[in-house]
Amino acid sequence: MKAVAVDPARRSVQLVDRPEPALATPTDVKLRVLDVGVCGTDREICAFEYGTPPSGDAQLVIGHESLGEVVEVGATVSRVKIGDLVVPMVRRPCDHDDCRACRSDRQDFCYTGDFTERGIKMHHGFMTEVVVDDEKYMNVVPRALRDVAILVEPLTIAEKALKQIFQVQQRLPWCAPPEPGKMPRNSHRAVVLGAGPVGLLGAMALRVADFDTFVYSREPAPNPKSNLVEAIGAHYVSSAVDSVEQLAGRVGNMDVVYEATGASGLSFEVMKVLGTNGVFVFTGVPGRKAPITVDTDLIMRDAVLKNQVIFGTVNAGRETFEDAIRDLGTFTQRWPAAVKSLITGRYPMEAYRDLLFGQATGIKNVISL
Ligand SMILES: [Zn+2]
Ligand SMILES: [Zn+2]
């Protein structure tokens, strides 16, 4: 079967022929891959910034955002059946007995760092025709979401962040959710940094949770992303037009900042205008560039005097995937055209070079098999 694989030692990325995997345990499931999303992580792996093949293999099959159809199941599989559409999880637990996170099926909080990740770290990914995996990592997706389910994995970033924002905001008695996960209409002003797929999906998740949402991004409006932002009832603010201070003036008390750019300089500028009792969430992974000057006294003073919480988050556990599947259903009901417009191109696997090495274009580009 064909696959896109990186060979870090030889610094090559190629369309290769690999043996088709077979079921190895009674809980294994075989998937026919339907869609694979391409993101910055794949491009960085193909620039040899990271990405580790499985031990004993020179190649790593890339691809971590995926949608598959179950075509074969092991003898004891009970969570999925043949014909189901599934989105597999990416991260797999370490095998240390004392890693309480991994032993609790929350490898997204792994303590040891010895987790593996499909398509990224020591485990082949999904940019291929057939994969075999344990049923416990499968998340069943309704047929109605077939065309957009490739967005589930990037949406889990926002879902895990939101869950933690709710947990932090529970410290505010007037803001305590009347029911778990449901926000009352206060302490609900959010800024999303960046209008890529992670930012736009985050903006949709914040809108569904009833946040007044501002997306702060570079390009002046109108543009396709600003149109999409307006279509979901959020506000688009261009950093080419409005400074960080002007953004703060428009938002009012900035209760939540959801960072989705990987740009540390911009993030720390915006942190200076985070509101009282505000929560700042980092989701981006910046490349290591030269150090920059940050006003640490101001940021530390505000963190104390304004009860601020600053945290980072990496995706994701089972519950978060389930939240993402549910919310993607809600998005498609509320904004069908906007959700579809997030997927800006579908390509055959043979187009991998343009997608991984060319100028990044559009919002979410997908390899469809
Ligand atoms: Zn990704
Ligand atoms: Zn672990």
Side-chain angles (χ1 to χ4, degrees):
M1 61 174 190
K2 56 186 179 180
V4 177
V6 55
D7 184 333
R10 300 169 78 173
R11 295 179 76 83
S12 76
V13 180
Q14 278 175 319
L15 188 61
V16 297
D17 190 36
R18 295 190 59 93
E20 188 175 310
L23 300 189
T25 75
T27 53
D28 271 350
V29 172
K30 185 184 275 191
L31 306 179
R32 184 170 71 88
V33 178
L34 301 174
D35 283 343
V36 190
V38 177
C39 80
T41 299
D42 301 304
R43 299 168 68 92
E44 284 157 15
I45 293 171
C46 291
F48 314 107
E49 290 176 28
Y50 48 89
T52 313
S55 38
D57 201 329
Q59 297 176 335
L60 171 73
V61 176
I62 63 168
H64 56 277
E65 303 175 6
S66 72
L67 171 69
E69 180 175 7
V70 177
V71 292
E72 193 182 340
V73 294
T76 64
V77 167
S78 59
R79 291 190 61 242
V80 300
K81 56 184 192 308
I82 291 171
D84 279 351
L85 294 181
V86 292
V87 173
M89 290 196 269
V90 177
R91 193 179 275 203
R92 302 303 145 83
C94 73
D95 51 20
H96 298 279
D97 288 335
D98 58 352
C99 182
R100 294 180 65 185
C102 288
R103 301 291 72 78
S104 309
D105 292 326
R106 285 309 301 267
Q107 52 269 21
D108 53 320
F109 286 111
C110 177
Y111 284 97
T112 67
D114 290 337
F115 57 82
T116 62
E117 286 171 327
R118 289 207 73 143
I120 302 171
K121 185 175 181 247
M122 300 182 76
H123 208 129
H124 289 308
F126 304 108
M127 210 173 279
T128 185
E129 295 174 86
V130 174
V131 294
V132 167
D133 209 338
D134 195 285
E135 65 163 337
K136 85 189 269 195
Y137 303 117
M138 300 295 134
N139 301 284
V140 177
V141 176
R143 276 270 155 196
L145 297 180
R146 162 68 182 86
D147 291 343
V148 292
I150 194 61
L151 300 171
V152 166
E153 199 279 342
L155 176 56
T156 59
I157 300 169
E159 296 290 347
K160 183 174 166 186
L162 261 178
K163 186 147 278 175
Q164 293 171 90
I165 290 165
F166 294 145
Q167 287 165 346
V168 173
Q169 288 198 327
Q170 278 179 26
R171 67 192 174 149
L172 311 174
W174 56 91
C175 179
E179 51 190 280
K182 199 106 174 70
M183 284 295 299
R185 283 193 62 82
N186 50 32
S187 304
H188 69 291
R189 291 180 188 164
V191 170
V192 174
L193 301 182
V198 173
L200 292 170
L201 286 164
M204 289 181 175
L206 286 160
R207 288 294 302 130
V208 163
D210 225 7
F211 278 81
D212 195 5
T213 305
F214 296 75
V215 176
Y216 193 52
S217 183
R218 203 171 300 154
E219 305 85 48
N223 63 62
K225 291 173 177 178
S226 72
N227 294 341
L228 196 155
V229 166
E230 303 294 335
I232 63 166
H235 317 282
Y236 184 90
V237 183
S238 165
S239 61
V241 178
D242 283 60
S243 67
V244 167
E245 289 69 31
Q246 286 168 316
L247 168 72
R250 289 177 62 169
V251 175
N253 193 65
M254 215 179 269
D255 300 305
V256 169
V257 176
Y258 176 77
E259 177 279 322
T261 61
S264 62
L266 171 72
S267 299
F268 280 89
E269 276 307 303
V270 175
M271 199 179 285
K272 294 199 297 199
V273 295
L274 178 64
T276 298
N277 308 324
V279 187
F280 192 108
V281 189
F282 284 112
T283 76
V285 182
R288 294 286 298 274
K289 301 177 207 73
I292 58 165
T293 303
V294 174
D295 190 345
T296 52
D297 284 343
L298 175 66
I299 288 173
M300 185 165 158
R301 273 177 65 92
D302 277 359
V304 172
L305 298 174
K306 296 181 179 173
N307 303 295
Q308 293 169 339
V309 173
I310 297 155
F311 71 85
T313 183
V314 67
N315 57 329
R318 156 92 53 80
E319 199 183 46
T320 311
F321 274 82
E322 287 167 358
D323 290 345
I325 292 165
R326 184 204 60 229
D327 268 359
L328 192 61
T330 307
F331 299 173
T332 53
Q333 276 165 12
R334 281 174 70 165
W335 317 296
V339 176
K340 279 219 167 90
S341 72
L342 288 170
I343 298 174
T344 43
R346 289 183 183 274
Y347 302 86
M349 206 186 293
E350 288 71 16
Y352 71 100
R353 289 213 159 263
D354 296 338
L355 295 170
L356 294 164
F357 297 101
Q359 175 84 34
T361 56
I363 302 174
K364 175 57 70 185
N365 291 320
V366 176
I367 288 179
S368 288
L369 284 91

